[in-house]
């Protein structure tokens, strides 16, 4: 069973999964959520759950796609991706991580219009064809976030404390349904 937590210690969402405003502005589908902070500071990005680092792309100079990014394998064909990180990613392929592991710093690498982290969840495998809405599978903890949520920018955020104990997990049956 996998429990995914937000990879930041605050929640500010600049663009949602399949956000119509994003598509209108950029002409393409948005396949994750963009987490941002309206302060100029180094914002640590944490692993959303227990797992193993599957891919690291650091020192990107192409200005394309996710720029500097990390993909983590959480087991049971569940993966997360964290894009637009600053150069100097803190983990390497094969590292074991959990929700207290800093994997990088929020940045603006790749095809980015400002400092943020693009966050994706995959159910069914590492391929982008398995992308799902991260808000449906990622949770916040009232203790961690109570003073740092931007009320106007957290539409749909779920809290673990408000759910039944078995609800915030991703099980193999859910992954199989999405294949």
């Amino acid at each position: 069973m996998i429990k995914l937590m937000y990879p930041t210690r605050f929640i500010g969402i600049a663009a949602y999964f399949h956000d119509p405003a994003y598509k209108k502005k950029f002409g393409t589908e948005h396949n994750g959520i963009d987490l941002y902070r309206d302060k100029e500071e180094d914002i640590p990005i944490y692993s959303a759950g227990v797992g193993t680092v599957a891919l690291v792309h650091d020192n990107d100079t192409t200005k394309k796609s996710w720029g500097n990014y990390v993909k983590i394998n959480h087991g049971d064909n569940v993966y997360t991706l964290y894009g637009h990180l600053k150069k100097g990613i803190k983990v390497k392929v094969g590292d074991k991580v959990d929700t207290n592991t800093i994997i990088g710093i929020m940045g603006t690498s790749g095809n980015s219009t400002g400092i943020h982290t693009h966050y994706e969840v995959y159910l069914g495998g590492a391929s982008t064809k398995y992308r799902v809405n991260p808000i449906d599978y990622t949770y916040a903890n009232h203790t961690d976030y109570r003073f740092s949520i931007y009320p106007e920018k957290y539409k749909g955020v779920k809290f673990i404390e408000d759910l039944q104990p078995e609800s915030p997990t991703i099980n193999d049956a859910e992954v199989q349904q999405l294949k």
Side-chain angles (χ1 to χ4, degrees):
M1 299 299 205
I2 315 281
K3 292 184 183 183
L4 298 177
M5 302 296 288
Y6 278 87
T8 55
R9 296 295 190 244
F10 63 89
I11 299 170
I13 300 174
Y16 288 88
F17 186 78
H18 292 183
D19 191 331
Y22 183 95
K23 187 167 187 172
K24 183 177 179 182
K25 183 174 183 179
F26 297 106
T28 185
E29 201 69 73
H30 193 248
N31 294 304
I33 59 174
D34 287 347
L35 300 166
Y36 79 104
R37 178 93 180 220
D38 58 357
K39 294 182 178 181
E40 294 280 333
E41 59 187 71
D42 283 347
I43 306 295
I45 302 301
Y46 300 86
S47 173
V50 172
T52 304
V53 176
L55 288 170
V56 172
H57 184 76
D58 200 1
N59 199 21
D60 180 78
T61 58
T62 66
K63 298 294 182 190
K64 295 179 182 176
S65 192
W66 303 309
N68 300 324
Y69 68 90
V70 173
K71 189 177 271 189
I72 297 174
N73 178 349
H74 299 282
D76 294 329
N77 279 319
V78 176
Y79 290 78
T80 51
L81 178 131
Y82 316 80
H84 306 302
L85 301 175
K86 275 188 172 181
K87 178 182 171 185
I89 289 175
K90 311 290 185 199
V91 293
K92 63 186 182 312
V93 172
D95 283 356
K96 303 293 183 201
V97 295
D98 63 29
T99 58
N100 292 313
T101 305
I102 297 174
I103 60 171
I105 302 297
M106 186 178 287
T108 187
S109 62
N111 186 11
S112 171
T113 59
I115 297 172
H116 72 287
T117 293
H118 179 80
Y119 171 61
E120 294 186 358
V121 173
Y122 304 72
L123 298 184
S127 169
T128 56
K129 73 180 184 179
Y130 295 116
R131 287 185 252 204
V132 295
N133 187 345
I135 288 182
D136 293 340
Y137 298 95
T138 307
Y139 297 86
N141 177 312
H142 282 294
T143 304
D144 291 342
Y145 300 97
R146 68 177 168 215
F147 298 116
S148 54
I149 293 177
Y150 301 134
E152 73 282 3
K153 291 286 187 181
Y154 72 102
K155 176 178 69 178
V157 171
K158 297 175 180 142
F159 290 91
I160 284 182
E161 294 88 350
D162 297 336
L163 301 172
Q164 298 298 324
E166 64 276 0
S167 296
T169 60
I170 300 168
N171 62 45
D172 196 47
E174 286 179 290
V175 172
Q176 294 304 318
Q177 287 175 345
L178 292 166
K179 286 186 174 181

